[in-house]
Amino acid sequence: MLAPAKINLALHVTGRRADGYHLLDSLAVFTRFGDRLQIEPAERDAFSVSGPFASGVSLDDDNLVVKAREALRREAGAARTPPVAIRLEKNLPIASGVGGGSSDAAAALNGLARLWALDIDEAELARIGLTLGADLPMCLKAKPLIARGIGDELSPLAGFPALALVLVNPGVAVSTPEVFKALSRRDSEALPPLPSRLDFHTIWNWLETTRNDLEPAARSIQPAVDETLKALKRAGAAFARMSGSGATCFGLFETGNVAKRAAIDIRGRHPGWFVAATRSMEAD
């Protein structure tokens, strides 16, 4: 199972609920690059992690993959959910603004529902996912969409094309609670309507009219975000922005080959950084 990176192309913070959850209006896409999960029947439950970012992953009951397994087991009953071995290949940086943990948990829910042959629909999986985190419902869909509310009100975007992207993380983690705490305002307007014709140029022009409201706060906490954005622009990105609460940033490129050359350039200048050239998944 692929657990793709979630990229917030635009993110406006439009309010705050009484329970402390922030209200968002975000255009999100999911990439062909991400973590990977392998799930198979076993004599007893097991969870293991490999990959370049494995050392930062908890293996205990606090891990979202383990929580997803147990949440689905509670829902379906122990008799229908026998032991499984889950292996996570962690290719995405930890706490990096690309929804890695949520995407891992969503892939686990989808994969386990399939392996256990459970009669459970998308809405039920989304309900279970929401108990694990606000990002889970959109990660379960993993297609271009507008997310509103706390991230649970989803509008899939028909006809949204695949985009060539370069993802860059300077090797620093940024605390999401700290970023939200540092926000200067929490009452931004909603995203403007998308253009009727969706292609590289119209999306690029539309993005110029939007923001990531979390970016200024993240930059104040972690100046490496600025350096990352500059590196993407220096490598020829038509558009560059931070994703989510950071510190991962993305660059938008007109073609996949241009994106690959840019990734090589950035790796050469910053050998210690995480850099990945990829494409977003298009709408069905």
Side-chain angles (χ1 to χ4, degrees):
M1 300 288 296
L2 172 67
K6 173 182 66 68
I7 305 301
N8 299 99
L9 296 181
L11 194 163
H12 290 192
V13 179
T14 58
R16 192 177 190 181
R17 299 197 317 195
D19 61 4
Y21 274 101
H22 286 82
L23 302 175
L24 310 174
D25 200 6
S26 179
L27 169 58
V29 296
F30 296 80
T31 69
R32 298 176 187 274
F33 179 86
D35 297 337
R36 293 192 171 273
L37 270 77
Q38 184 176 352
I39 309 173
E40 59 187 5
E43 292 186 2
R44 58 182 179 275
D45 283 329
F47 176 57
S48 59
V49 185
S50 62
F53 296 99
S55 61
V57 178
S58 166
L59 295 176
D60 59 21
D61 292 346
D62 287 334
N63 187 281
L64 274 177
V65 171
V66 177
K67 287 184 175 182
R69 182 193 69 200
E70 294 310 303
L72 194 54
R73 183 170 278 153
R74 284 193 300 272
E75 187 74 21
R80 301 173 62 198
T81 56
V84 289
I86 303 176
R87 287 185 285 277
L88 169 63
E89 181 183 296
K90 192 66 185 169
N91 300 315
L92 295 169
I94 311 295
S96 65
V98 294
S102 296
S103 191
D104 294 344
L109 287 175
N110 278 322
L112 287 167
R114 187 182 306 171
L115 178 68
W116 286 332
L118 300 178
D119 183 17
I120 189 166
D121 60 20
E122 284 187 13
E124 282 295 290
L125 274 184
R127 179 184 61 77
I128 296 167
L130 191 58
T131 67
L132 303 172
D135 276 357
L136 262 291
M138 69 176 92
C139 289
L140 282 162
K141 284 198 175 295
K143 294 289 184 181
L145 52 82
I146 297 286
R148 298 186 177 90
I150 61 172
D152 58 331
E153 300 170 20
L154 307 179
S155 302
L157 296 173
F160 201 91
L163 299 172
L165 302 165
V166 174
L167 313 182
V168 182
N169 184 284
V172 298
V174 178
S175 164
T176 299
E178 283 187 25
V179 170
F180 275 101
K181 186 178 179 181
L183 281 175
S184 59
R185 57 176 295 187
R186 296 173 170 83
D187 58 351
S188 292
E189 72 283 357
L191 292 174
L194 279 164
S196 56
R197 183 171 61 88
L198 293 168
D199 59 28
F200 172 80
H201 293 284
T202 60
I203 292 168
W204 171 17
N205 290 335
W206 180 85
L207 286 172
E208 294 284 3
T209 71
T210 68
R211 305 177 306 279
N212 178 351
D213 283 339
L214 305 184
E215 190 175 303
R219 285 167 127 166
S220 69
I221 294 168
Q222 184 48 261
V225 172
D226 266 328
E227 190 179 355
T228 306
L229 291 166
K230 289 175 183 175
L232 280 161
K233 295 299 285 187
R234 187 186 301 119
F239 181 86
R241 175 173 283 166
M242 188 185 81
S243 177
S245 57
T248 302
C249 299
F250 66 89
L252 184 62
F253 294 83
E254 190 160 8
T255 70
N257 285 336
V258 175
K260 289 174 185 175
R261 288 196 294 270
I264 291 169
D265 176 71
I266 295 170
R267 284 193 202 101
R269 295 173 185 270
H270 304 280
W273 288 8
F274 162 82
V275 183
T278 185
R279 293 183 71 82
S280 63
M281 288 183 273
E282 59 193 357
D284 291 330

